[in-house]
Amino acid sequence: MDGDDDDVVFVSGCFDLLHSGHVAFFKQASEHGKVHVSLGSDANIRELKNHDPMFDENERLYMAKGVEYVHSAAICAGMGYLDFEADLDIIKPQKFFVNQDGHRKEKEIACEKRNIEYIVAERIPEEGMEVRSSTAIKASLKNKDKVTQTESTQSPKPPDSNSIETDSADIDIPRLAKQPRERPVVMVSGCYDLLHSGHVAFFKEASKLGDLYVSLGNDANIEQLKHHKSMFPENERCFMVQSIRYVAEARVCRGMGMLDFEADMDILKPDIFFVNEDGHRDSKKEACAKRNIRYIVGARVPDGELPTRSSTAIKALLCNKKL
C-alpha cells in the first residue's frame, strides 16, 4: 500500500456495464487507500453523451458498492465534464486516481487547487485478461460478435472429471474446504457471464446463510451445453465473481455436464447448496440428498427496487441500444 491506509482515494466515471477493466481499476486504486467512487449521474451522462446509460444510476451504484475494492460510492452531485469537482469539495479526498485514458489537464488542475495528490496509472488489465471498455463490449454485441477471448482460452480442453480423486495431493483444494468452519459453507453454481445486479443480489442472499463458494461453469462445458462460447472466458468470469464482496471464494468448476458442480461438491463438502427458483432442478436436489447437503431454493427477487435482470435479456437489449 502506498501512503496512509486511511487516505481516501477518489475515482470518478460512468462505470456503466461493469466489467473486468473497471474492477482492475478499482483494485489498482485500492492499493493507495480507501476507494470512493463518484458515479456520473443519469442527467449528466444524458447531457454529455446525448443518450441514456445502459443502467440507471441506482443500478450502477449498486454494482459499484458490491465490489470488494470499493470502500464507498455515491452519485456525483455535479454536472458537466468536471462534474466530480462538486464531490471533491464534499469528500475532501487525499488522492485522485485516474488511468492514462482518464487523464485530463483540467482534472490535474482541479486537484492542485485543492492540494489533492493526482495519480495517473497505466491502464493494465488483470493478468491474462483482455483490455476491456464498455463501448467495445456494447459494439461487439451490437454487431452480434462474441467478445474476443485470449488465445489461451479458445477451444478449451474439457477437464477429465472422471479422473478426479478427492484425496489426491495434486488437487488444488479450495480454501473453504481446508479451513476450520465458523459458519456454514454455502455453494452456488452457474455461468455468471456478463455479471449483473441480479447475480450480485443472488450472492448477497446466499451469503446470509454462511461463507459463499461460487462454482463457475468452465468454458468447455458452457460451449458443450449451450452450443456457443461464453461471452467472457472462465478466468475473467471468475475474477469478476471473486471481486464481489459477498463471495468468500470463487473457482472454475472441474466437472462437465448439467451437474458439473458435483465434482467440486465432493471436494468442498458444503453444508448448503443454494439455488433460486429458476435454477431449481430435481436432479440438483437429489445430488444434495445423496451427500446429506441441505438444499435451499430461494425466491428470485431483485434487491430493493432494482429491475429483474438476466444476462440473455441484457445481451439482447445491448444489441439494440444506442452507443
Side-chain angles (χ1 to χ4, degrees):
M1 179 82 69
D2 295 332
D4 193 328
D5 289 2
D6 290 329
D7 284 353
V8 174
V9 183
F10 188 95
V11 302
S12 69
C14 174
F15 303 115
D16 200 15
L17 191 63
L18 191 76
H19 55 70
S20 64
H22 294 143
V23 175
F25 175 67
F26 296 153
K27 184 179 178 182
Q28 275 184 288
S30 72
E31 294 170 2
H32 298 272
K34 296 178 178 177
V35 176
H36 175 82
V37 179
S38 176
L39 289 112
S41 67
D42 291 347
N44 200 39
I45 292 169
R46 200 175 297 120
E47 180 176 297
L48 295 177
K49 299 188 176 185
N50 298 315
H51 65 77
D52 290 325
M54 175 69 202
F55 299 101
D56 72 24
E57 57 193 30
N58 292 325
E59 193 162 3
R60 289 184 289 115
L61 181 63
Y62 181 79
M63 292 298 290
K65 285 183 173 181
V67 177
E68 66 173 337
Y69 306 112
V70 174
H71 182 260
S72 59
I75 304 302
C76 187
M79 294 290 288
Y81 282 108
L82 300 181
D83 58 344
F84 60 86
E85 284 193 294
D87 283 4
L88 286 182
D89 293 331
I90 297 168
I91 303 297
K92 300 186 186 303
Q94 284 73 43
K95 300 169 183 175
F96 191 118
F97 186 87
V98 300
N99 62 24
Q100 293 162 319
D101 290 352
H103 167 60
R104 300 290 183 275
K105 189 63 180 177
E106 295 86 349
K107 293 181 180 179
E108 188 173 2
I109 291 170
C111 289
E112 287 176 356
K113 283 167 50 180
R114 296 166 174 84
N115 198 29
I116 296 169
E117 181 182 356
Y118 185 70
I119 302 171
V120 182
E122 187 178 352
R123 183 179 180 179
I124 304 174
E126 192 70 9
E127 185 177 356
M129 296 180 198
E130 300 283 345
V131 173
R132 297 293 188 204
S133 76
S134 298
T135 302
I137 292 169
K138 293 173 187 176
S140 179
L141 279 166
K142 198 172 182 68
N143 295 327
K144 298 185 179 179
D145 294 328
K146 296 297 176 191
V147 175
T148 302
Q149 294 190 10
T150 58
E151 212 170 282
S152 62
T153 61
Q154 292 178 351
S155 302
K157 180 182 178 182
D160 184 4
S161 59
N162 293 326
S163 68
I164 291 176
E165 298 291 342
T166 59
D167 59 349
S168 170
D170 295 331
I171 294 294
D172 182 16
I173 304 297
R175 176 177 53 80
L176 288 179
K178 294 185 289 187
Q179 68 185 28
R181 296 188 179 180
E182 297 180 1
R183 304 178 71 212
V185 170
V186 182
M187 184 178 185
V188 302
S189 69
C191 174
Y192 306 113
D193 205 16
L194 189 57
L195 196 71
H196 55 70
S197 62
H199 294 142
V200 176
F202 175 66
F203 297 153
K204 181 180 178 181
E205 191 65 24
S207 72
K208 293 176 182 177
L209 301 170
D211 292 330
L212 180 60
Y213 179 95
V214 181
S215 176
L216 290 104
N218 63 68
D219 289 344
N221 199 39
I222 291 169
E223 188 169 356
Q224 177 177 291
L225 294 176
K226 299 189 177 185
H227 308 295
H228 63 75
K229 292 183 183 294
S230 59
M231 183 174 173
F232 297 100
E234 58 192 28
N235 64 326
E236 191 167 0
R237 290 184 287 114
C238 192
F239 171 70
M240 289 295 291
V241 170
Q242 185 65 76
S243 76
I244 301 303
R245 64 177 69 253
Y246 308 112
V247 176
E249 188 172 7
R251 295 282 190 107
V252 176
C253 187
R254 309 161 192 270
M256 295 291 290
M258 292 299 293
L259 299 181
D260 58 344
F261 60 85
E262 284 188 298
D264 285 2
M265 183 177 276
D266 289 333
I267 297 169
L268 179 65
K269 302 186 188 306
D271 303 288
I272 298 168
F273 191 84
F274 186 81
V275 300
N276 63 22
E277 295 160 320
D278 290 352
H280 166 61
R281 301 288 184 277
D282 286 341
S283 55
K284 293 180 181 180
K285 186 176 182 180
E286 289 164 7
C288 290
K290 278 168 46 180
R291 296 165 173 84
N292 199 30
I293 294 168
R294 186 180 175 197
Y295 183 74
I296 298 179
V297 182
R300 183 178 180 180
V301 180
D303 206 346
E305 297 182 2
L306 295 176
T308 299
R309 292 294 186 196
S310 77
S311 298
T312 302
I314 291 171
K315 291 173 187 176
L317 182 61
L318 278 168
C319 288
N320 300 309
K321 191 80 172 177
K322 182 180 177 182
L323 301 181

